[in-house]
């Protein structure tokens, strides 16, 4: 069974920083793209950033220049460094990964349980 376990959320003041981590565990063949999404109260889930296996990245316009996504393929882990945080960054942040269970399966998207990030003074 594949699990994505996030950590690193919390309460931070505007202008502060947080680093989220998400580790994939369980039995699987390979991981392709990994990413972070977020969902604020009353809003739809939105893409924050994604990173391909080879390191190519993609960011939402709202976080460009403030957030950095990275990954450690040896540890099956993706990170999100969030700097210059704003109140509008407040949301539950979800990790996503495209995982292939074996070489006869296609990649399937998996989600973590989410971690709360609150930016407030």
């Amino acid at each position: 069974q594949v699990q994505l376990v996030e950590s690193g959320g919390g309460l931070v003041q505007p202008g502060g920083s947080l680093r989220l981590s998400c580790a994939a565990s369980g039995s699987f063949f390979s991981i392709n793209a990994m990413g972070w999404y977020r969902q604020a109260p009353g809003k739809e889930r939105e893409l924050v950033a994604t990173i391909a296996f080879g390191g190519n990245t993609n960011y939402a316009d709202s976080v460009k220049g403030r957030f950095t996504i990275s990954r450690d393929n040896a540890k099956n882990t993706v990170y999100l460094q969030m700097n210059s945080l704003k109140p509008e960054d407040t949301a539950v942040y979800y990790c996503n990964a495209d995982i292939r269970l074996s070489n006869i399966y296609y990649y399937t998207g998996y989600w973590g349980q989410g971690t709360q990030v609150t930016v407030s003074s």
Side-chain angles (χ1 to χ4, degrees), residues 87-107:
E88 50 263 42
D89 294 317
T90 296
V92 177
Y93 284 69
Y94 296 91
C95 171
N96 176 270
D98 289 335
I99 296 175
R100 198 176 185 188
L101 297 182
S102 79
N103 62 356
I104 64 171
Y105 285 97
Y106 294 111
Y107 284 100

Side-chain angles (χ1 to χ4, degrees), residues 21-113:
S21 299
C22 171
S25 64
S27 179
F28 51 87
F29 182 70
S30 64
I31 302 176
N32 195 4
M34 303 184 81
W36 292 94
Y37 292 73
R38 68 186 180 186
Q39 187 166 18
K43 295 188 177 181
E44 294 187 353
R45 190 172 299 188
E46 64 176 4
L47 179 145
V48 176
T50 60
I51 183 167
F53 180 84
N56 288 339
T57 58
N58 178 52
Y59 295 93
D61 288 343
S62 59
V63 306
K64 281 181 182 177
R66 300 188 298 122
F67 291 10
T68 302
I69 190 170
S70 61
R71 64 189 288 172
D72 184 333
N73 291 330
K75 296 182 179 180
N76 298 317
T77 299
V78 62
Y79 307 96
L80 186 68
Q81 178 65 43
M82 305 185 292
N83 299 328
S84 303
L85 282 160
K86 305 175 181 180
E88 50 263 42
D89 294 317
T90 296
V92 177
Y93 284 69
Y94 296 91
C95 171
N96 176 270
D98 289 335
I99 296 175
R100 198 176 185 188
L101 297 182
S102 79
N103 62 356
I104 64 171
Y105 285 97
Y106 294 111
Y107 284 100
T108 301
Y110 288 82
W111 292 94
Q113 80 285 355

